[in-house]
PDB file of all heavy atoms in Angstrom:
ATOM      1  N   GLN A 248      30.192 -75.842 -42.957  1.00  0.00           N
ATOM      2  CA  GLN A 248      30.563 -75.018 -41.841  1.00  0.00           C
ATOM      3  C   GLN A 248      31.286 -73.787 -42.332  1.00  0.00           C
ATOM      4  O   GLN A 248      31.933 -73.775 -43.379  1.00  0.00           O
ATOM      5  CB  GLN A 248      31.444 -75.772 -40.869  1.00  0.00           C
ATOM      6  CG  GLN A 248      30.721 -76.904 -40.097  1.00  0.00           C
ATOM      7  CD  GLN A 248      31.639 -77.554 -39.085  1.00  0.00           C
ATOM      8  OE1 GLN A 248      32.846 -77.367 -39.080  1.00  0.00           O
ATOM      9  NE2 GLN A 248      31.032 -78.330 -38.188  1.00  0.00           N
ATOM     10  N   LEU A 249      31.208 -72.688 -41.559  1.00  0.00           N
ATOM     11  CA  LEU A 249      31.857 -71.489 -41.943  1.00  0.00           C
ATOM     12  C   LEU A 249      33.385 -71.624 -41.896  1.00  0.00           C
ATOM     13  O   LEU A 249      33.922 -72.427 -41.126  1.00  0.00           O
ATOM     14  CB  LEU A 249      31.449 -70.357 -40.982  1.00  0.00           C
ATOM     15  CG  LEU A 249      30.013 -69.958 -40.962  1.00  0.00           C
ATOM     16  CD1 LEU A 249      29.735 -68.899 -39.888  1.00  0.00           C
ATOM     17  CD2 LEU A 249      29.591 -69.409 -42.328  1.00  0.00           C
ATOM     18  N   PRO A 250      34.103 -70.904 -42.765  1.00  0.00           N
ATOM     19  CA  PRO A 250      35.558 -70.985 -42.742  1.00  0.00           C
ATOM     20  C   PRO A 250      36.112 -70.616 -41.416  1.00  0.00           C
ATOM     21  O   PRO A 250      35.528 -69.844 -40.669  1.00  0.00           O
ATOM     22  CB  PRO A 250      35.959 -69.945 -43.811  1.00  0.00           C
ATOM     23  CG  PRO A 250      34.748 -69.765 -44.693  1.00  0.00           C
ATOM     24  CD  PRO A 250      33.589 -69.990 -43.785  1.00  0.00           C
ATOM     25  N   SER A 251      37.304 -71.131 -41.081  1.00  0.00           N
ATOM     26  CA  SER A 251      37.906 -70.957 -39.786  1.00  0.00           C
ATOM     27  C   SER A 251      38.083 -69.491 -39.402  1.00  0.00           C
ATOM     28  O   SER A 251      37.796 -69.136 -38.266  1.00  0.00           O
ATOM     29  CB  SER A 251      39.276 -71.670 -39.747  1.00  0.00           C
ATOM     30  OG  SER A 251      39.925 -71.447 -38.512  1.00  0.00           O
ATOM     31  N   PRO A 252      38.513 -68.597 -40.308  1.00  0.00           N
ATOM     32  CA  PRO A 252      38.677 -67.185 -39.892  1.00  0.00           C
ATOM     33  C   PRO A 252      37.378 -66.586 -39.392  1.00  0.00           C
ATOM     34  O   PRO A 252      37.386 -65.741 -38.500  1.00  0.00           O
ATOM     35  CB  PRO A 252      39.136 -66.514 -41.203  1.00  0.00           C
ATOM     36  CG  PRO A 252      39.805 -67.567 -41.985  1.00  0.00           C
ATOM     37  CD  PRO A 252      39.017 -68.810 -41.681  1.00  0.00           C
ATOM     38  N   ILE A 253      36.230 -67.003 -39.935  1.00  0.00           N
ATOM     39  CA  ILE A 253      34.963 -66.480 -39.506  1.00  0.00           C
ATOM     40  C   ILE A 253      34.506 -67.050 -38.205  1.00  0.00           C
ATOM     41  O   ILE A 253      34.035 -66.392 -37.299  1.00  0.00           O
ATOM     42  CB  ILE A 253      33.853 -66.639 -40.580  1.00  0.00           C
ATOM     43  CG1 ILE A 253      34.241 -65.748 -41.815  1.00  0.00           C
ATOM     44  CG2 ILE A 253      32.520 -66.241 -40.052  1.00  0.00           C
ATOM     45  CD1 ILE A 253      33.236 -65.826 -42.928  1.00  0.00           C
ATOM     46  N   THR A 254      34.680 -68.378 -38.050  1.00  0.00           N
ATOM     47  CA  THR A 254      34.285 -69.000 -36.776  1.00  0.00           C
ATOM     48  C   THR A 254      35.147 -68.471 -35.620  1.00  0.00           C
ATOM     49  O   THR A 254      34.646 -68.222 -34.523  1.00  0.00           O
ATOM     50  CB  THR A 254      34.412 -70.534 -36.845  1.00  0.00           C
ATOM     51  OG1 THR A 254      35.758 -70.896 -37.174  1.00  0.00           O
ATOM     52  CG2 THR A 254      33.507 -71.111 -37.926  1.00  0.00           C
ATOM     53  N   LYS A 255      36.420 -68.244 -35.897  1.00  0.00           N
ATOM     54  CA  LYS A 255      37.289 -67.633 -34.867  1.00  0.00           C
ATOM     55  C   LYS A 255      36.859 -66.199 -34.577  1.00  0.00           C
ATOM     56  O   LYS A 255      36.912 -65.746 -33.383  1.00  0.00           O
ATOM     57  CB  LYS A 255      38.720 -67.698 -35.305  1.00  0.00           C
ATOM     58  CG  LYS A 255      39.291 -69.116 -35.299  1.00  0.00           C
ATOM     59  CD  LYS A 255      40.744 -69.184 -35.737  1.00  0.00           C
ATOM     60  CE  LYS A 255      41.306 -70.587 -35.705  1.00  0.00           C
ATOM     61  NZ  LYS A 255      42.695 -70.685 -36.130  1.00  0.00           N
ATOM     62  N   ALA A 256      36.496 -65.447 -35.571  1.00  0.00           N
ATOM     63  CA  ALA A 256      36.051 -64.069 -35.369  1.00  0.00           C
ATOM     64  C   ALA A 256      34.775 -64.032 -34.507  1.00  0.00           C
ATOM     65  O   ALA A 256      34.663 -63.202 -33.608  1.00  0.00           O
ATOM     66  CB  ALA A 256      35.786 -63.393 -36.710  1.00  0.00           C
ATOM     67  N   ILE A 257      33.841 -64.966 -34.756  1.00  0.00           N
ATOM     68  CA  ILE A 257      32.632 -65.028 -33.968  1.00  0.00           C
ATOM     69  C   ILE A 257      32.947 -65.307 -32.502  1.00  0.00           C
ATOM     70  O   ILE A 257      32.353 -64.802 -31.582  1.00  0.00           O
ATOM     71  CB  ILE A 257      31.668 -66.084 -34.539  1.00  0.00           C
ATOM     72  CG1 ILE A 257      31.147 -65.630 -35.941  1.00  0.00           C
ATOM     73  CG2 ILE A 257      30.479 -66.311 -33.596  1.00  0.00           C
ATOM     74  CD1 ILE A 257      30.381 -66.693 -36.656  1.00  0.00           C
ATOM     75  N   GLU A 258      33.972 -66.179 -32.285  1.00  0.00           N
ATOM     76  CA  GLU A 258      34.389 -66.521 -30.907  1.00  0.00           C
ATOM     77  C   GLU A 258      35.093 -65.339 -30.217  1.00  0.00           C
ATOM     78  O   GLU A 258      34.907 -65.099 -29.043  1.00  0.00           O
ATOM     79  CB  GLU A 258      35.329 -67.737 -30.943  1.00  0.00           C
ATOM     80  CG  GLU A 258      34.706 -69.025 -31.365  1.00  0.00           C
ATOM     81  CD  GLU A 258      35.696 -70.136 -31.549  1.00  0.00           C
ATOM     82  OE1 GLU A 258      36.909 -69.897 -31.378  1.00  0.00           O
ATOM     83  OE2 GLU A 258      35.264 -71.254 -31.880  1.00  0.00           O
ATOM     84  N   ARG A 259      35.879 -64.575 -30.990  1.00  0.00           N
ATOM     85  CA  ARG A 259      36.734 -63.551 -30.399  1.00  0.00           C
ATOM     86  C   ARG A 259      35.994 -62.222 -30.196  1.00  0.00           C
ATOM     87  O   ARG A 259      36.168 -61.590 -29.107  1.00  0.00           O
ATOM     88  CB  ARG A 259      37.952 -63.322 -31.267  1.00  0.00           C
ATOM     89  CG  ARG A 259      38.946 -64.458 -31.358  1.00  0.00           C
ATOM     90  CD  ARG A 259      39.933 -64.185 -32.425  1.00  0.00           C
ATOM     91  NE  ARG A 259      40.942 -65.254 -32.551  1.00  0.00           N
ATOM     92  CZ  ARG A 259      41.645 -65.526 -33.613  1.00  0.00           C
ATOM     93  NH1 ARG A 259      41.475 -64.797 -34.736  1.00  0.00           N
ATOM     94  NH2 ARG A 259      42.537 -66.494 -33.624  1.00  0.00           N
TER      95      ARG A 259
END
Side-chain angles (χ1 to χ4, degrees):
Q248 291 184 346
L249 296 175
S251 177
I253 293 181
T254 58
K255 289 181 179 178
I257 294 172
E258 293 173 358
R259 292 170 179 158

